[in-house]
Amino acid sequence: MAHQIQIPISFEFRAAKVQWEEARANVIGWWNQQGETNDPVQLIAGIASTSGKKKTIGLPLSRLPEKEKKQCLATLGKRHSDEAVKEICSGLELRYFVHDRETYINSELRKHSHDADPWRLRHDFLSLKGDSEAALEFLNKWGRWVRFRNYVDTAEISALQGAVRQALTSPAEIWFRSSYASPPKANSRSSQFPYFVVLTDACEAAICMTTTMDLLRKLRFKTCARPDCHKVFPVTSRHERNYCMQYCAHLESVRRTRKSTTQRSGG
């Protein structure tokens, strides 16, 4: 017989000072041929930042445009496939963000970070418009993206943004079926109740945790009705509200008035 239990866990998000910069990645071959993994859909790419720092990363084939993805798959098992995929991807602009900040845990994490509001983090995250300049500003404000990895691309950021937007405005089951909603792992301890602590300075983990918590608490959210906003906001009362803030409601009211005036004047 399955037993449902409730274990209290403290959740603490801390922002670390991380200096991110843009970098370009160039495909140099198949990752599995480097002896690091057996996954045939991973490429290996070299990253060079604007400051001259270099490293190699695993690049999921799904990050490529459909045309180049099919061409790369066609080289699998053939001679000189590394050279082939390098040539196929030579014209692609694969942009990443990188940093060289060390990863800390437990007491060292607290020492090298400051207390921050994870819901404010999520609000800023969902407000991103998708351009690299805004993403870089966001990362430099909030710090580390994930633990033990010092790079991320806009595709990964956009994927999480879309998943969180959908989760907050759809049935909770959609989120809890996804890999983003893995059960929280207590990675620190406290001598006081509730003893178990989820401590992180990683933005991705904190964004997922706030989303999981809100859905477990059965909070309701709506999407702003202003067409060029679409921010997600919490429903905090029974009063009908269609806009995330008064500014959006006022702007849409002005637009409707102008449109009505134009139509009456025959313009």
Side-chain angles (χ1 to χ4, degrees), residues 159-160 163-164 166-167 172-185 204-205 208-209 212:
L160 178 59
V164 173
Q166 181 186 42
E173 291 80 6
I174 295 176
W175 174 257
F176 290 114
R177 284 197 300 263
S178 74
S179 59
Y180 292 120
S182 298
K185 298 177 181 178
E204 184 193 56
C208 290
M209 187 66 173
T212 296

Side-chain angles (χ1 to χ4, degrees), residues 22-25 93-97 132 152-154:
E22 284 193 84
R24 178 177 175 176
E93 286 285 328
L94 302 173
R95 295 290 178 177
Y96 277 76
F97 305 106
S132 59
V152 65
D153 66 350
T154 53

Side-chain angles (χ1 to χ4, degrees), residues 41-62:
V41 293
Q42 291 278 336
L43 297 167
I44 189 169
I47 287 183
S49 67
T50 53
S51 62
K53 299 171 185 174
K54 297 181 179 180
K55 69 179 282 104
T56 56
I57 65 168
L59 177 68
L61 199 63
S62 58

Side-chain angles (χ1 to χ4, degrees), residues 100-167:
D100 58 3
R101 179 75 169 180
E102 183 181 350
T103 295
Y104 300 100
I105 60 175
N106 298 329
S107 61
E108 287 297 306
L109 188 156
R110 287 193 173 92
K111 188 185 301 183
H112 294 89
S113 61
H114 63 271
D115 189 45
D117 182 353
W119 277 271
R120 183 72 230 179
L121 159 72
R122 191 181 71 189
H123 175 273
D124 286 1
F125 176 69
L126 292 178
S127 299
L128 288 175
K129 297 298 184 182
D131 60 285
S132 59
E133 185 176 339
L136 183 61
E137 182 180 351
F138 167 83
L139 290 169
N140 278 320
K141 175 181 178 180
W142 289 103
R144 194 181 313 280
W145 179 250
V146 295
R147 296 173 69 193
F148 305 114
R149 172 157 63 83
N150 62 351
Y151 61 88
V152 65
D153 66 350
T154 53
E156 183 177 338
I157 293 173
S158 297
L160 178 59
Q161 190 181 55
V164 173
R165 284 183 182 277
Q166 181 186 42

